[in-house]
Amino acid sequence: MDRYAVVGHPIGHSRSPEIHAMFARATGQAMTYERLGPDPEGFEEAVLRFREEGGKGLNVTLPFKERAFALARSCSSRAGAVGAANTLDFRAEGIFADNTDGAGLIRDLTRNLDFSLAGQDVLLVGAGGAARGVLPALLDGSVSRIVVANRTPARALALLQYLGREGGLPQEILHRCVGCGFDALPPGPYALVINATSGSLEGEIPALPEGVYGEAMLVYDMVYGKEPTPFLKKAQALGARRTADGLGMLVEQAAESFYLWRQVYPDTGSVLQQLRSRLE
Ligand SMILES: NC(=O)c1ccc[n+]([C@@H]2O[C@H](COP(=O)([O-])OP(=O)(O)OC[C@H]3O[C@@H](n4cnc5c(N)ncnc54)[C@H](OP(=O)(O)O)[C@@H]3O)[C@@H](O)[C@H]2O)c1
């Protein structure tokens, strides 16, 4: 049995073991998948110990994605662009880092939700790790313009600077991005509004101008739950045409990690359905 795990702090809430167990069953892979929840100061030691004990790879979640990236000897271009890893692959030549969050979001939007990104204006709300992870993939999806709006505007600007300087995104691509606070939003409409803040976890909704919801073709929250999140409830009340939560992104980013490790792409549709029914 090959061993994998997800590492984070806290980790008890993670659905990744369930998702990977379903993928493994469906594709006939002989593997186990567990949770690791080291104290924050013990992250590196926990990763290296898991590897020494024969572990084959890890998923990485809050707050360790940057430290996971720093531990790796080599990385994919999509992890290099954002300086953070949600997937580690333990290879003979050293640890390889990848970041599948952006691809997971794009697959959920384009395949599960049938939303075409090309030529669209996108409002990305939040400038933390989740926003950073998905921004290059959204830009690759040929969107026309991305506005990154954050409660702390300086963090939105710093994110765009980071992607240009450290992430190596060309200036002509970065020119399609604007960073700002909620009260300085350039006029819409935005076809797609993505909430990449953690506000929904505490029932807090970013203070966006109310008109953005009714103008959007799709309002998306990376947080997910049994009920629509507070952000999605507000969007529905203010006339959003379609809303979706982040459960599909969670399953799709997991499938990308699974593929990296096992070279087999699992069927995500049935897993997403089962997971949704378990939430209900
Ligand atoms: N579905 C998935 O697969 C998936 C994948 C990755 C992440 N996520 C989710 O995405 C969320 C964000 O994760 P993260 O890694 O980016 O966290 P993070 O690095 O801690 O960043 C948090 C972000 O939320 C903003 N924020 C927090 N409370 C807010 C409030 N009350 N009003 C407005 N903005 C608020 C912060 O703004 P300031 O900068 O002003 O503090 C910051 O932009 C988490 O809930 C996570 O579970 C989901």
Side-chain angles (χ1 to χ4, degrees), residues 82-95:
V82 298
N86 76 339
T87 309
L88 296 177
D89 190 24
F90 298 154
R91 300 181 174 178
E93 63 274 20
I95 299 176

Side-chain angles (χ1 to χ4, degrees), residues 126-130 150-152 155 196-198 201 204 222-223 246 249-250:
N150 196 43
R151 179 175 62 180
T152 312
R155 245 184 125 189
T197 77
S198 46
L201 296 174
E204 290 173 15
M222 286 196 194
V223 172
M249 174 179 170
L250 183 76

